[in-house]
Amino acid sequence: MKLTTTWLATIAGALLLSCSTPQNEEAPSLKKAYQDKFLIGTALNAGHNYGTDTLGIAVIREHFNAIVAENCMKSMHIQPTEGVFFFDEADHFVQFGEENNMYITGHTLVWHSQAPDWFFINEKGEDVSREVVIERIKNHIYTLVGRYKGRVKGWDVVNEAILDDGSWRNTKFKEIVGDDYIKLAFQFAHEADPEAELYYNDYAMAQEGKRNSVVELVKQLQAEGIRIDGIGMQGHMGMDYPDINEFEKSIDAFAALGVKVMITEMDITLLPFPAGETAEVSLTAEYQEKMNPYAAGLPAEVEAAFNKRYSDFFALFLKHSDKISRVTLWGVTDNDTWRNDWPVPGRTDYPLLFGRDYQPKPVVQQLIDLTKE
Ligand code: 9MR
């Protein structure tokens, strides 16, 4: 047999693997290391759902036991026109989760950002009545939650309804329906699948104003007998935000409500960012080279700081593992991340735990080691 370059690479890879994983010892796996602490999740994109990203899928199977739909269940994807549903990708997503015995979260039922206009207007383009919008929300939720009843175990029912200062975001849902649109969304989701867990999910949850408002919102829902099981704290972080102590205060404040706390959508950007702590998708900025400092690779000292930042947060999550049910990364590899294109398009970011080569970064072993301390 002629030894081609591919063969040599395969042999070298196998040798490397057998050296890095001593016999009798299992390959390091995040989900195994954290199995007594909390679920370790990731967001699935179309390449995962349709099975084209085979290397990504292997990483997901090895390291994660919870999945969330990054985009395919958003209303503009699944019901872009009233009554016309595109379930194909979501069906694959749910099937993948079931086949691999993973905790499946649906994302998201009511979100101002990707809500198609038809929710709010008639054929003349005029705003419809409160009753009509409520009926449309109800149909959307009943259809989606009903289809995956008993299979999707938890839903991000309402996403990003509160601003950082604690005021309620003035969305079309709020404008036309009124403040009880949140309550109605939770009620409809519960009616559609009484067994499903229901969550409120938002970013910048370490901000005091937002923390207090979310606490008020959840108390109000609880007082009215509306089911809410958990609060998702999106973890879109940078090297200098959020303040880890403020983040901890929010974990405590949310857990004190008697609901589960989940760290959802975690990624830590290493790129300069003008706007501070936000994940507001409508923000944009123009590409400039100075805004893309690591296009050719990451300096060792930056990677060391990144490792420490991830470790600090995971140490915090471990400290509160009695309150935290799941920690979910917003994607698998640095190839996949939305951060490469937001708020500046075409940059090279490194916010996730697996590199562009699909290999675990050194930080993965550090996070695994934390569970042994
Ligand atoms: O990562 C998602 C990206 O691919 C989409 O283009 C974008 C708009 O739908 O949404 C991103 O995910 C967002 C999530 O759904 C809600 N919180 C903020 C996330 C990052 O923008």
Side-chain angles (χ1 to χ4, degrees):
M1 178 180 58
K2 209 172 130 205
L3 274 184
T4 61
T5 328
T6 326
W7 269 102
L8 282 173
T10 312
I11 295 165
L15 277 174
L16 206 70
L17 261 181
S18 62
C19 295
S20 58
T21 312
Q23 305 258 309
N24 309 325
E25 221 178 273
E26 286 185 59
S29 155
L30 279 168
K31 72 173 176 195
K32 284 182 197 146
Y34 281 84
Q35 62 190 352
D36 301 329
K37 312 294 183 187
F38 37 73
L39 293 168
I40 297 281
T42 190
L44 266 54
N45 61 28
H48 306 134
N49 295 327
Y50 283 119
T52 51
D53 184 2
T54 49
L55 295 174
I57 286 171
V59 175
I60 295 166
R61 289 204 174 108
E62 188 69 30
H63 289 276
F64 298 97
N65 49 19
I67 55 170
V68 59
E70 183 174 5
N71 287 312
C72 68
M73 288 176 157
K74 291 172 181 172
S75 54
M76 70 175 275
H77 294 283
I78 213 152
Q79 194 185 184
T81 307
E82 186 170 18
V84 181
F85 287 86
F86 290 89
F87 287 122
D88 193 52
E89 189 181 339
D91 285 353
H92 279 85
F93 162 78
V94 174
Q95 196 187 332
F96 176 84
E98 285 184 332
E99 282 168 3
N100 292 284
N101 204 16
M102 292 167 170
Y103 188 93
I104 306 171
T105 302
H107 172 87
T108 169
L109 299 172
V110 171
W111 186 26
H112 67 282
S113 177
Q114 311 286 302
D117 288 344
W118 65 257
F119 262 105
F120 314 107
I121 55 177
N122 61 21
E123 57 289 347
K124 292 189 211 134
E126 302 154 344
D127 278 3
V128 291
S129 66
R130 163 180 155 88
E131 288 67 33
V132 171
V133 177
I134 291 176
E135 197 53 30
R136 288 174 177 175
I137 295 174
K138 184 176 173 180
N139 282 339
H140 182 75
I141 293 179
Y142 269 35
T143 308
L144 194 46
V145 176
R147 183 177 182 90
Y148 301 113
K149 185 176 176 183
R151 304 172 71 200
V152 168
K153 302 294 181 195
W155 283 95
D156 290 339
V157 178
V158 177
N159 198 41
E160 301 170 9
I162 294 171
L163 296 173
D164 298 359
D165 65 2
S167 58
W168 281 38
R169 189 190 288 270
N170 205 8
T171 68
K172 277 305 239 187
F173 291 114
K174 177 170 166 349
E175 188 191 316
I176 299 179
V177 176
D179 284 358
D180 57 350
Y181 83 92
I182 296 186
K183 170 184 151 180
L184 289 168
F186 276 86
Q187 192 183 306
F188 296 148
H190 182 54
E191 287 164 6
D193 184 355
E195 302 298 319
E197 290 198 347
L198 306 179
Y199 315 130
Y200 176 74
N201 189 52
D202 212 329
Y203 62 77
M205 293 286 240
Q207 302 270 343
E208 192 182 359
K210 192 174 278 200
R211 176 197 306 139
N212 294 338
S213 254
V214 171
V215 166
E216 279 318 303
L217 168 67
V218 173
K219 278 188 180 164
Q220 221 177 314
L221 293 172
Q222 290 172 328
E224 293 181 65
I226 300 293
R227 176 166 182 172
I228 173 159
D229 298 273
I231 299 177
M233 301 177 67
Q234 294 180 21
H236 298 298
M237 303 181 178
M239 294 302 286
D240 53 4
Y241 66 86
D243 178 307
I244 195 162
N245 298 317
E246 294 300 308
F247 199 90
E248 182 170 28
K249 282 186 200 165
S250 297
I251 295 176
D252 283 329
F254 297 155
L257 296 162
V259 295
K260 294 178 177 174
V261 177
M262 284 150 290
I263 314 304
T264 61
E265 308 189 18
M266 186 163 185
D267 49 26
I268 301 182
T269 181
L270 288 171
L271 298 183
F273 185 50
E277 182 180 9
T278 178
E280 176 57 60
V281 282
S282 58
L283 275 177
T284 50
E286 263 180 39
Y287 181 86
Q288 290 169 287
E289 216 158 287
K290 69 167 194 237
M291 297 296 278
N292 192 19
Y294 308 127
L298 209 53
E301 69 276 12
V302 179
E303 183 167 7
F306 170 86
N307 296 351
K308 175 157 185 340
R309 183 109 175 119
Y310 253 109
S311 300
D312 288 349
F313 271 97
F314 269 74
L316 179 72
F317 304 156
L318 283 168
K319 177 178 167 195
H320 293 286
S321 62
D322 57 327
K323 309 177 179 81
I324 293 174
S325 58
R326 167 169 58 95
V327 174
T328 287
L329 280 296
W330 202 238
V332 181
T333 76
D334 290 338
N335 261 329
D336 313 324
T337 172
W338 71 295
R339 292 285 200 176
N340 290 327
D341 290 300
W342 180 90
V344 183
R347 297 197 294 176
T348 307
D349 206 348
Y350 301 81
L352 293 170
L353 299 180
F354 295 83
R356 289 177 166 76
D357 57 359
Y358 293 88
Q359 294 305 307
K361 298 182 186 176
V363 69
V364 170
Q365 188 59 51
Q366 293 181 19
L367 299 185
I368 288 172
D369 290 344
L370 281 178
T371 62
K372 300 173 191 153
E373 280 172 17

mmCIF file of all heavy atoms in Angstrom, residues 300-330:
data_model
loop_
_atom_site.group_PDB
_atom_site.id
_atom_site.type_symbol
_atom_site.label_atom_id
_atom_site.label_comp_id
_atom_site.label_asym_id
_atom_site.label_seq_id
_atom_site.Cartn_x
_atom_site.Cartn_y
_atom_site.Cartn_z
ATOM 1 N N ALA A 300 -0.682 34.141 22.971
ATOM 2 C CA ALA A 300 -0.781 33.236 24.130
ATOM 3 C C ALA A 300 -1.348 33.937 25.360
ATOM 4 O O ALA A 300 -2.145 33.354 26.107
ATOM 5 C CB ALA A 300 0.605 32.667 24.432
ATOM 6 N N GLU A 301 -0.945 35.214 25.562
ATOM 7 C CA GLU A 301 -1.419 35.877 26.792
ATOM 8 C C GLU A 301 -2.916 36.182 26.730
ATOM 9 O O GLU A 301 -3.608 36.178 27.757
ATOM 10 C CB GLU A 301 -0.597 37.143 27.115
ATOM 11 C CG GLU A 301 -0.751 38.318 26.186
ATOM 12 C CD GLU A 301 0.137 38.233 24.940
ATOM 13 O OE1 GLU A 301 0.721 37.153 24.672
ATOM 14 O OE2 GLU A 301 0.221 39.246 24.210
ATOM 15 N N VAL A 302 -3.415 36.394 25.523
ATOM 16 C CA VAL A 302 -4.862 36.631 25.391
ATOM 17 C C VAL A 302 -5.607 35.327 25.667
ATOM 18 O O VAL A 302 -6.615 35.300 26.376
ATOM 19 C CB VAL A 302 -5.207 37.181 23.985
ATOM 20 C CG1 VAL A 302 -6.710 37.394 23.832
ATOM 21 C CG2 VAL A 302 -4.458 38.480 23.715
ATOM 22 N N GLU A 303 -5.075 34.230 25.139
ATOM 23 C CA GLU A 303 -5.721 32.942 25.390
ATOM 24 C C GLU A 303 -5.685 32.598 26.885
ATOM 25 O O GLU A 303 -6.669 32.079 27.436
ATOM 26 C CB GLU A 303 -5.064 31.818 24.578
ATOM 27 C CG GLU A 303 -5.808 30.514 24.802
ATOM 28 C CD GLU A 303 -5.445 29.406 23.837
ATOM 29 O OE1 GLU A 303 -4.504 29.578 23.047
ATOM 30 O OE2 GLU A 303 -6.124 28.359 23.894
ATOM 31 N N ALA A 304 -4.587 32.915 27.550
ATOM 32 C CA ALA A 304 -4.497 32.624 28.990
ATOM 33 C C ALA A 304 -5.559 33.413 29.763
ATOM 34 O O ALA A 304 -6.211 32.887 30.675
ATOM 35 C CB ALA A 304 -3.091 32.959 29.491
ATOM 36 N N ALA A 305 -5.744 34.670 29.372
ATOM 37 C CA ALA A 305 -6.754 35.499 30.047
ATOM 38 C C ALA A 305 -8.158 34.964 29.772
ATOM 39 O O ALA A 305 -9.019 34.929 30.660
ATOM 40 C CB ALA A 305 -6.624 36.946 29.569
ATOM 41 N N PHE A 306 -8.356 34.509 28.557
ATOM 42 C CA PHE A 306 -9.647 33.910 28.164
ATOM 43 C C PHE A 306 -9.919 32.655 28.999
ATOM 44 O O PHE A 306 -11.016 32.464 29.541
ATOM 45 C CB PHE A 306 -9.552 33.583 26.670
ATOM 46 C CG PHE A 306 -10.658 32.744 26.099
ATOM 47 C CD1 PHE A 306 -11.832 33.332 25.645
ATOM 48 C CD2 PHE A 306 -10.513 31.363 25.954
ATOM 49 C CE1 PHE A 306 -12.842 32.567 25.071
ATOM 50 C CE2 PHE A 306 -11.522 30.591 25.388
ATOM 51 C CZ PHE A 306 -12.683 31.182 24.944
ATOM 52 N N ASN A 307 -8.912 31.812 29.141
ATOM 53 C CA ASN A 307 -9.068 30.587 29.938
ATOM 54 C C ASN A 307 -9.453 30.921 31.383
ATOM 55 O O ASN A 307 -10.305 30.278 31.982
ATOM 56 C CB ASN A 307 -7.765 29.786 29.952
ATOM 57 C CG ASN A 307 -7.381 29.295 28.570
ATOM 58 O OD1 ASN A 307 -8.173 29.406 27.631
ATOM 59 N ND2 ASN A 307 -6.166 28.774 28.432
ATOM 60 N N LYS A 308 -8.805 31.946 31.899
ATOM 61 C CA LYS A 308 -9.080 32.328 33.294
ATOM 62 C C LYS A 308 -10.505 32.843 33.434
ATOM 63 O O LYS A 308 -11.207 32.522 34.389
ATOM 64 C CB LYS A 308 -8.069 33.379 33.756
ATOM 65 C CG LYS A 308 -8.384 33.898 35.130
ATOM 66 C CD LYS A 308 -7.205 34.488 35.841
ATOM 67 C CE LYS A 308 -7.488 34.898 37.279
ATOM 68 N NZ LYS A 308 -8.858 35.105 37.674
ATOM 69 N N ARG A 309 -10.917 33.632 32.468
ATOM 70 C CA ARG A 309 -12.274 34.198 32.535
ATOM 71 C C ARG A 309 -13.319 33.078 32.491
ATOM 72 O O ARG A 309 -14.264 33.068 33.280
ATOM 73 C CB ARG A 309 -12.450 35.181 31.365
ATOM 74 C CG ARG A 309 -13.779 35.889 31.350
ATOM 75 C CD ARG A 309 -13.655 37.356 31.703
ATOM 76 N NE ARG A 309 -14.925 38.029 31.563
ATOM 77 C CZ ARG A 309 -15.575 38.629 32.547
ATOM 78 N NH1 ARG A 309 -15.061 38.690 33.766
ATOM 79 N NH2 ARG A 309 -16.733 39.209 32.343
ATOM 80 N N TYR A 310 -13.152 32.131 31.564
ATOM 81 C CA TYR A 310 -14.097 30.991 31.521
ATOM 82 C C TYR A 310 -14.059 30.216 32.841
ATOM 83 O O TYR A 310 -15.092 29.845 33.390
ATOM 84 C CB TYR A 310 -13.755 30.040 30.358
ATOM 85 C CG TYR A 310 -14.726 30.126 29.194
ATOM 86 C CD1 TYR A 310 -14.345 30.694 27.984
ATOM 87 C CD2 TYR A 310 -16.034 29.646 29.311
ATOM 88 C CE1 TYR A 310 -15.240 30.780 26.913
ATOM 89 C CE2 TYR A 310 -16.931 29.725 28.249
ATOM 90 C CZ TYR A 310 -16.533 30.286 27.058
ATOM 91 O OH TYR A 310 -17.421 30.379 26.014
ATOM 92 N N SER A 311 -12.833 29.996 33.338
ATOM 93 C CA SER A 311 -12.705 29.206 34.575
ATOM 94 C C SER A 311 -13.352 29.923 35.748
ATOM 95 O O SER A 311 -14.008 29.296 36.586
ATOM 96 C CB SER A 311 -11.232 28.941 34.884
ATOM 97 O OG SER A 311 -10.646 28.225 33.827
ATOM 98 N N ASP A 312 -13.181 31.248 35.815
ATOM 99 C CA ASP A 312 -13.802 32.005 36.910
ATOM 100 C C ASP A 312 -15.322 31.829 36.887
ATOM 101 O O ASP A 312 -15.956 31.634 37.923
ATOM 102 C CB ASP A 312 -13.461 33.500 36.793
ATOM 103 C CG ASP A 312 -12.006 33.780 37.151
ATOM 104 O OD1 ASP A 312 -11.331 32.870 37.685
ATOM 105 O OD2 ASP A 312 -11.536 34.920 36.889
ATOM 106 N N PHE A 313 -15.889 31.921 35.695
ATOM 107 C CA PHE A 313 -17.349 31.792 35.622
ATOM 108 C C PHE A 313 -17.796 30.357 35.924
ATOM 109 O O PHE A 313 -18.773 30.157 36.649
ATOM 110 C CB PHE A 313 -17.886 32.293 34.270
ATOM 111 C CG PHE A 313 -18.182 33.770 34.329
ATOM 112 C CD1 PHE A 313 -17.253 34.699 33.872
ATOM 113 C CD2 PHE A 313 -19.358 34.237 34.906
ATOM 114 C CE1 PHE A 313 -17.503 36.068 33.969
ATOM 115 C CE2 PHE A 313 -19.613 35.598 35.002
ATOM 116 C CZ PHE A 313 -18.691 36.524 34.534
ATOM 117 N N PHE A 314 -17.077 29.374 35.398
ATOM 118 C CA PHE A 314 -17.481 27.993 35.708
ATOM 119 C C PHE A 314 -17.290 27.676 37.198
ATOM 120 O O PHE A 314 -18.065 26.912 37.763
ATOM 121 C CB PHE A 314 -16.763 26.990 34.790
ATOM 122 C CG PHE A 314 -17.557 26.693 33.548
ATOM 123 C CD1 PHE A 314 -17.652 27.629 32.528
ATOM 124 C CD2 PHE A 314 -18.249 25.491 33.392
ATOM 125 C CE1 PHE A 314 -18.405 27.387 31.381
ATOM 126 C CE2 PHE A 314 -19.000 25.228 32.248
ATOM 127 C CZ PHE A 314 -19.081 26.170 31.247
ATOM 128 N N ALA A 315 -16.291 28.284 37.808
ATOM 129 C CA ALA A 315 -16.129 28.095 39.262
ATOM 130 C C ALA A 315 -17.347 28.683 39.986
ATOM 131 O O ALA A 315 -17.858 28.095 40.954
ATOM 132 C CB ALA A 315 -14.834 28.747 39.738
ATOM 133 N N LEU A 316 -17.810 29.814 39.514
ATOM 134 C CA LEU A 316 -19.019 30.418 40.097
ATOM 135 C C LEU A 316 -20.233 29.496 39.889
ATOM 136 O O LEU A 316 -21.031 29.294 40.817
ATOM 137 C CB LEU A 316 -19.278 31.786 39.445
ATOM 138 C CG LEU A 316 -20.520 32.521 39.943
ATOM 139 C CD1 LEU A 316 -20.307 33.047 41.363
ATOM 140 C CD2 LEU A 316 -20.881 33.685 39.012
ATOM 141 N N PHE A 317 -20.346 28.948 38.681
ATOM 142 C CA PHE A 317 -21.494 28.062 38.418
ATOM 143 C C PHE A 317 -21.422 26.822 39.322
ATOM 144 O O PHE A 317 -22.446 26.358 39.817
ATOM 145 C CB PHE A 317 -21.520 27.624 36.947
ATOM 146 C CG PHE A 317 -21.539 28.755 35.943
ATOM 147 C CD1 PHE A 317 -21.066 28.564 34.641
ATOM 148 C CD2 PHE A 317 -22.009 30.014 36.299
ATOM 149 C CE1 PHE A 317 -21.080 29.598 33.719
ATOM 150 C CE2 PHE A 317 -22.015 31.060 35.370
ATOM 151 C CZ PHE A 317 -21.546 30.856 34.084
ATOM 152 N N LEU A 318 -20.216 26.303 39.519
ATOM 153 C CA LEU A 318 -20.077 25.135 40.393
ATOM 154 C C LEU A 318 -20.457 25.480 41.833
ATOM 155 O O LEU A 318 -21.117 24.695 42.516
ATOM 156 C CB LEU A 318 -18.643 24.608 40.333
ATOM 157 C CG LEU A 318 -18.304 23.799 39.080
ATOM 158 C CD1 LEU A 318 -16.793 23.579 38.974
ATOM 159 C CD2 LEU A 318 -19.046 22.451 39.081
ATOM 160 N N LYS A 319 -20.046 26.673 42.252
ATOM 161 C CA LYS A 319 -20.396 27.118 43.611
ATOM 162 C C LYS A 319 -21.923 27.125 43.788
ATOM 163 O O LYS A 319 -22.433 26.883 44.872
ATOM 164 C CB LYS A 319 -19.809 28.522 43.824
ATOM 165 C CG LYS A 319 -20.141 29.167 45.145
ATOM 166 C CD LYS A 319 -19.467 30.534 45.268
ATOM 167 C CE LYS A 319 -20.053 31.312 46.424
ATOM 168 N NZ LYS A 319 -19.681 32.742 46.354
ATOM 169 N N HIS A 320 -22.633 27.432 42.717
ATOM 170 C CA HIS A 320 -24.092 27.525 42.782
ATOM 171 C C HIS A 320 -24.771 26.371 42.055
ATOM 172 O O HIS A 320 -25.884 26.529 41.548
ATOM 173 C CB HIS A 320 -24.547 28.858 42.184
ATOM 174 C CG HIS A 320 -24.125 30.036 43.001
ATOM 175 N ND1 HIS A 320 -24.725 30.367 44.200
ATOM 176 C CD2 HIS A 320 -23.134 30.941 42.811
ATOM 177 C CE1 HIS A 320 -24.126 31.444 44.704
ATOM 178 N NE2 HIS A 320 -23.156 31.812 43.887
ATOM 179 N N SER A 321 -24.123 25.230 42.022
ATOM 180 C CA SER A 321 -24.693 24.130 41.236
ATOM 181 C C SER A 321 -26.003 23.611 41.834
ATOM 182 O O SER A 321 -26.764 22.923 41.156
ATOM 183 C CB SER A 321 -23.682 22.996 41.062
ATOM 184 O OG SER A 321 -23.343 22.480 42.314
ATOM 185 N N ASP A 322 -26.277 23.973 43.080
ATOM 186 C CA ASP A 322 -27.581 23.600 43.651
ATOM 187 C C ASP A 322 -28.710 24.450 43.052
ATOM 188 O O ASP A 322 -29.877 24.093 43.135
ATOM 189 C CB ASP A 322 -27.556 23.767 45.177
ATOM 190 C CG ASP A 322 -27.190 25.186 45.599
ATOM 191 O OD1 ASP A 322 -26.392 25.848 44.877
ATOM 192 O OD2 ASP A 322 -27.707 25.668 46.630
ATOM 193 N N LYS A 323 -28.360 25.576 42.457
ATOM 194 C CA LYS A 323 -29.382 26.475 41.893
ATOM 195 C C LYS A 323 -29.425 26.405 40.376
ATOM 196 O O LYS A 323 -30.430 26.719 39.754
ATOM 197 C CB LYS A 323 -29.061 27.929 42.271
ATOM 198 C CG LYS A 323 -28.803 28.158 43.752
ATOM 199 C CD LYS A 323 -28.434 29.622 44.010
ATOM 200 C CE LYS A 323 -28.187 29.868 45.488
ATOM 201 N NZ LYS A 323 -26.833 29.457 45.911
ATOM 202 N N ILE A 324 -28.289 26.014 39.778
ATOM 203 C CA ILE A 324 -28.169 26.059 38.323
ATOM 204 C C ILE A 324 -28.465 24.684 37.726
ATOM 205 O O ILE A 324 -27.858 23.687 38.130
ATOM 206 C CB ILE A 324 -26.756 26.540 37.930
ATOM 207 C CG1 ILE A 324 -26.589 28.011 38.350
ATOM 208 C CG2 ILE A 324 -26.501 26.370 36.439
ATOM 209 C CD1 ILE A 324 -25.199 28.569 38.165
ATOM 210 N N SER A 325 -29.409 24.643 36.778
ATOM 211 C CA SER A 325 -29.771 23.341 36.206
ATOM 212 C C SER A 325 -29.034 23.065 34.896
ATOM 213 O O SER A 325 -28.912 21.915 34.484
ATOM 214 C CB SER A 325 -31.275 23.259 35.967
ATOM 215 O OG SER A 325 -31.694 24.287 35.102
ATOM 216 N N ARG A 326 -28.581 24.135 34.213
ATOM 217 C CA ARG A 326 -27.961 23.917 32.891
ATOM 218 C C ARG A 326 -27.054 25.090 32.561
ATOM 219 O O ARG A 326 -27.380 26.235 32.874
ATOM 220 C CB ARG A 326 -29.079 23.789 31.847
ATOM 221 C CG ARG A 326 -28.647 23.869 30.408
ATOM 222 C CD ARG A 326 -29.782 23.473 29.459
ATOM 223 N NE ARG A 326 -30.973 24.285 29.594
ATOM 224 C CZ ARG A 326 -31.248 25.360 28.827
ATOM 225 N NH1 ARG A 326 -30.417 25.739 27.882
ATOM 226 N NH2 ARG A 326 -32.352 26.038 29.023
ATOM 227 N N VAL A 327 -25.936 24.777 31.912
ATOM 228 C CA VAL A 327 -25.074 25.821 31.358
ATOM 229 C C VAL A 327 -24.949 25.511 29.866
ATOM 230 O O VAL A 327 -24.467 24.435 29.488
ATOM 231 C CB VAL A 327 -23.685 25.847 32.025
ATOM 232 C CG1 VAL A 327 -22.771 26.850 31.328
ATOM 233 C CG2 VAL A 327 -23.814 26.187 33.517
ATOM 234 N N THR A 328 -25.408 26.423 29.032
ATOM 235 C CA THR A 328 -25.424 26.177 27.587
ATOM 236 C C THR A 328 -24.527 27.166 26.858
ATOM 237 O O THR A 328 -24.622 28.379 27.064
ATOM 238 C CB THR A 328 -26.880 26.268 27.056
ATOM 239 O OG1 THR A 328 -27.599 25.108 27.480
ATOM 240 C CG2 THR A 328 -26.915 26.337 25.542
ATOM 241 N N LEU A 329 -23.651 26.612 26.007
ATOM 242 C CA LEU A 329 -22.784 27.432 25.153
ATOM 243 C C LEU A 329 -23.562 27.808 23.902
ATOM 244 O O LEU A 329 -24.348 27.013 23.398
ATOM 245 C CB LEU A 329 -21.541 26.637 24.777
ATOM 246 C CG LEU A 329 -20.397 26.540 25.797
ATOM 247 C CD1 LEU A 329 -19.805 27.934 26.039
ATOM 248 C CD2 LEU A 329 -20.772 25.910 27.122
ATOM 249 N N TRP A 330 -23.281 29.028 23.381
ATOM 250 C CA TRP A 330 -24.045 29.458 22.194
ATOM 251 C C TRP A 330 -23.302 29.047 20.915
ATOM 252 O O TRP A 330 -22.846 29.898 20.150
ATOM 253 C CB TRP A 330 -24.334 30.957 22.259
ATOM 254 C CG TRP A 330 -25.513 31.353 21.395
ATOM 255 C CD1 TRP A 330 -25.507 32.264 20.383
ATOM 256 C CD2 TRP A 330 -26.860 30.855 21.475
ATOM 257 N NE1 TRP A 330 -26.769 32.341 19.821
ATOM 258 C CE2 TRP A 330 -27.613 31.497 20.464
ATOM 259 C CE3 TRP A 330 -27.518 29.908 22.289
ATOM 260 C CZ2 TRP A 330 -28.981 31.243 20.249
ATOM 261 C CZ3 TRP A 330 -28.877 29.647 22.073
ATOM 262 C CH2 TRP A 330 -29.581 30.310 21.083
#
